[in-house]
Amino acid sequence: MHKRFDSAAIEKKWQEIWAEQKLYEVGERDTSKEKEYVLVELPYPSGNLHIGHWHAFAVPDIYVRFLRMSGKQVIYPMGFDAFGLPAENAAIKRNINPREWTESNIEFMKGQLQSMGASFSWDKTASTIDPNYYKWTQWMFTKFFENDLAYRGEAIVNWDPVDNTVIANEQVLADGTSERSGAVVEKKVMPQWMLRITKYADRLIDDLDNLDWPEPIKEAQRRWIGRSEGAEIDFKLSTGDTVTVFTTRPDTLFGATYMVLAPEHALVKQNKDKITNWDTVESYVKEAAKKDEQDRLNDTKEKTGVKLEGITATNPANNEEIPVYIADYVLASYGTGAIMAVPAHDERDGAFANKYNIKTVSVVYPVTGIPQENPEFRESIVAIVHNPKNDLYATINWKDPQKTLFVGGGIDSGESPEQAAVREIREETPCEHLELVSKTTTIEHSYFAHSKNVARKISAIGLLFTLTSSEETAQALEVDEADQFHFEWKDAQTIERELDDELHKTVWNMLVKKEVFTSTGKLMNSGEFNGMDSEEAKEAITKKVGGRMTSTYRMRDWSVGRQRYWGVPIPIVYDPEGKAHVVPEEHLPWLLPEDVDHKPTGEAPLAKSKELKERTEKIFGKGWTPEVETMDAFVDSSWYFLRYIDNQNDSAPVSTEAQKDWMPIDLYFGGAEHTTMHLLYSRFWQKALYDLKLVAHEEPYQRRINRGLILGPDGNKMSKSKGNVIDPDEQVKLVGGDSVKMYLAFMGPYGETANYPWDMGGIAGIRRFLEKVNGLHEHLADTEPESVTKQLHKTIAKLNDDIPVFKFNTAISAMMVFVNLAEKEGLSKESYRTFLTLLAPFATHLSEELWEQAGNTTSIHREPFPEANKELVKDDEVTIGVQINGKHRGEITIAPDASETIALVAAKADAQLAEKLGASEPKKVIYVPGRILNIII
RNA sequence: GCCGAAGUGGCGGAAUUGGUAGACGCGCACGACUCAAAAUCGUGUUCCGCAAGGAGUGAGGGUUCGAUUCCCUCCUUCGGCACCA
């Protein structure tokens, strides 16, 4: 029966009692239980919690409580990631100290967190601005510095002109603006504090394989790191310099008809004197630099560049002299900043060569590109052949020779390709039927090998070489002189129209339309490598020209220095010669000075601190100066989960004992936005610590679950300007924390990255459900119908199934079904108690209140989670669908394990079904017990 | 452009070793209670059709006794990356 309740009073009452009893503190590790470390991303104290925080923290609490009631010792910590630009900017706006602002926010947010009624392990908390925390952040940085993982290097950095600081690559959005301020990011070359994350690139990719993470997140990290396997190859310039290029396609080296340097490439300036068109070159270089600074949105289709007159390079594969260009489509910061350009097999090079009329040479032709699962098609491919004497190309289709295409020829003689080809053929074989036996002597290697071990020698069409499509060696195969082929000549348009399979289309596009073919295949026009498979040729050609197989990465080192105030001071001091030294452990924490006007001017605020300067000289001596940059806040959050589990430790960031107790993190709930930032940084950090023997695990997070976004009621992302922001405090006031939490859990499955719009009616429905639960005791009876007991056990089973896989929505739905039934049929006191414990992880306050009202003196949250009685979960009877000829025509109710005979009898007993079935005997019966009966007549 | 995820009533969603499509909730309609409204309770609610019946899980095709589920082709939406050699 529906019965209202005062959620505010109940929730406040229990929150206080729980706090007083320290009900959710974890304390020491209890080894009689299995441990479970459930982590949620610690909040940034921006002022107040938004509804997304509820979704992030309150909903996983259901899972945490379920585990705890199921007998595990669960740690579910909460803390604050409190350094960083937003707090500093907010403080500047309000003209107060960032520390004051942040700390007051933390206090306020703690109250909000309490209103969730979640079981946070408050004895295991941490705050990144606590000197006892950042002492260890600094300490680890010094270890990194000593081990060459942190270094000061020149780098092209992203400069945010509004926040007046450098930001990381990961913080630059796709449109070239800053993730922080929204300003257009500029490129600057500056000395930077960097962390050598690239050293870990391979491990960061490879170790993903062992993690229980959603595959899309892993894939996003792999792509972000962007490992490219290829080769470095040296090209000699006519100036005597050597240019190293990076390429993923060394197999196409014979097709490298020019070379491109990035405009910023050092050799450009160095050879100023030898470049005869230096003025043009110089202005292009300047233009390119400006373009880079403006924005990277400039459409990437239009390629520009300038030829370096007076300089050539030598292609090491064929010793041909090739021109050298500079072009801004080659990036200075990727690979070696120089490329070998292969216009036939790279789209960008193709576009560039087309524009500047550079020679194009095809060196790879396709053999695949055909669906693997279509063997019939594969068999039909035979080869592409080329006669360099007359530039005639042909593709031969073995199964159906009529599909053979001839392309090219006679380009220089003014003949059309068709005319030339026909002439060629006629001259060689003056008959209509081209017999595929030796008629000419120009052919050296011209074998076709059929996949069915039938070999034929083609020698009539003036083609220099052909390639086999099977493993059979050409020499071993016999010539069958009886075979004849008839080639039908068609004009180009007809041929194009009739192209009906992928290979032929590809070849046609490549050879006739001169489109760029980027796939791998087999080699041609490549000297001794002709006919070799691309993959094989990569190594072979690299080896021949003295190159090196290597990998390069999209990801750059992590720039961590910030020219701002509100962050962890980088614990480095400089001696009078300017050499960097770490601040020794006894002087840590290296405190953030207070005597600073932190307003951003572009100069680092710490440079203005007298106290910091004096401190440095006092400790290290006269002439020593402090580093004035602070650390990116992503550094702080790269290890917080380690501090949680040993937050009182004075002698180390975290003890090995605590790690043995709790690490690794069994489950990390979080948002998709951290995929390539926090999640990558902290994995790197953990690996670096691992190599320094400071942690026991190489990966911090065993399992990761990303949640979606809560949208406004209008289906849009919540924003103040749209006026669709849902304030959690207001909602809690309206319907209570239990309802807010349950509603967020009810919207949809949690483990998928789906976004759910907030629905005012929906949350009212949850509140209504809880009010029904509140009145449920009025339906108590001495005995209950078996249907109710059975439904209860089905519900128990459902919850035990659904909660571990985060399908809280269907779990709640099952409880609703039970309550609806129990209201109608009545329920026993025992069932009522059991139901309350089912509800406890969801409606933490109300279930506790009703539990107390039912006469219990200990907390419901100490109760074990119910287990279903398997006998009671089974149904005595089921209603199954009956199909006639596959169409649903009615239903019958029978025992779940009834025999086919019984099912048929039941179907015939049904008047409607009997009529449909008529008198005829069924042709076939498909009966799946408990599921379906399908009768074919 | 490339990579990834997803398309089911008016809405959020449920159902996959292939077996009654639309659980549960919202919304809506009608009824009860009320002077009235709200709240609450009851009934109904995929679409077309008075009905019998038919159609139906983004579109089209295929496999199957049977497809939201498996296969092929395509479309749309969302997310990520984007001159990365």
Side-chain angles (χ1 to χ4, degrees), chain A residues 882 891-894 898-911 913-914 917 922 925 927 933 935:
Chain A
V882 179
E891 336 14 283
I892 52 172
T893 301
I894 51 172
S899 69
E900 184 176 310
T901 319
I902 293 173
L904 279 170
V905 169
K908 281 174 187 157
D910 183 287
L913 285 168
L917 284 167
V925 175
Y927 173 59
L933 175 67
I935 304 164

Side-chain angles (χ1 to χ4, degrees), chain A residues 482-682:
Chain A
D483 278 311
Q484 291 188 347
F485 286 88
H486 175 249
F487 294 100
E488 188 181 331
W489 290 95
K490 296 171 180 173
D491 63 83
Q493 277 178 340
T494 310
I495 293 169
E496 193 171 5
R497 215 176 313 121
E498 289 181 355
L499 288 177
D500 60 347
D501 59 45
E502 223 171 299
L503 177 77
H504 286 85
K505 261 188 212 160
T506 309
V507 173
W508 178 263
N509 288 339
M510 179 180 151
L511 300 178
V512 180
K513 294 189 172 170
K514 298 281 180 205
E515 277 187 10
V516 176
F517 172 71
T518 54
S519 303
T520 52
K522 294 210 174 194
L523 265 57
M524 57 186 183
N525 295 331
S526 297
E528 73 230 60
F529 300 99
N530 280 342
M532 194 184 266
D533 187 83
S534 288
E535 292 302 330
E536 221 182 302
K538 282 180 179 176
E539 276 203 59
I541 294 183
T542 302
K543 200 173 160 196
K544 180 201 155 158
V545 300
R548 305 157 290 283
M549 298 304 285
T550 177
S551 293
T552 191
Y553 304 89
R554 205 193 78 105
M555 183 177 66
R556 308 290 144 73
D557 273 342
W558 176 11
S559 138
V560 292
R562 297 290 180 270
Q563 296 70 41
R564 292 294 295 253
Y565 173 71
W566 191 233
V568 178
I570 291 178
I572 292 286
V573 288
Y574 298 94
D575 64 25
E577 277 79 53
K579 191 169 181 294
H581 300 264
V582 300
V583 176
E585 186 173 348
E586 67 259 34
H587 298 299
L588 298 180
W590 189 243
L591 290 172
L592 185 64
E594 301 277 345
D595 64 329
V596 168
D597 174 14
H598 48 265
K599 287 194 185 63
T601 57
E603 186 191 3
L606 264 55
K608 291 178 263 184
S609 168
K610 258 179 82 180
E611 185 271 314
L612 182 64
K613 213 174 158 188
E614 285 167 8
R615 190 203 307 169
T616 307
E617 293 214 321
K618 195 172 155 205
I619 294 173
F620 298 97
K622 222 171 157 43
W624 286 64
T625 54
E627 171 57 58
V628 293
E629 291 185 353
T630 54
M631 291 188 213
D632 179 7
F634 275 117
V635 173
D636 308 344
S637 59
S638 287
W639 71 284
Y640 72 104
F641 45 86
L642 291 169
R643 190 61 183 174
Y644 276 159
I645 59 177
D646 198 12
N647 58 3
Q648 304 299 317
N649 197 329
D650 284 335
S651 58
V654 55
S655 71
T656 45
E657 292 74 38
Q659 290 185 59
K660 239 176 244 159
D661 285 346
W662 299 109
M663 287 298 283
I665 290 147
D666 297 282
L667 181 54
Y668 194 12
F669 286 103
E673 70 276 17
H674 288 120
T675 302
T676 52
M677 292 196 245
H678 162 66
L679 233 39
L680 201 54
Y681 292 144
S682 52

Side-chain angles (χ1 to χ4, degrees), chain A residues 296-317:
Chain A
R296 304 174 52 141
L297 264 184
N298 278 346
D299 80 320
T300 56
K301 300 279 174 286
E302 185 63 26
K303 304 268 177 295
T304 61
V306 173
K307 189 172 178 179
L308 300 182
E309 303 288 355
I311 294 185
T312 59
T314 304
N315 182 330

Side-chain angles (χ1 to χ4, degrees), chain A residues 185-203:
Chain A
V185 172
E186 297 170 4
K187 294 273 171 199
K188 277 195 177 181
V189 177
M190 287 178 74
Q192 275 301 302
W193 279 105
M194 313 286 282
L195 294 183
R196 224 178 273 288
I197 190 170
T198 49
K199 188 180 163 191
Y200 287 81
D202 279 325
R203 283 160 70 186

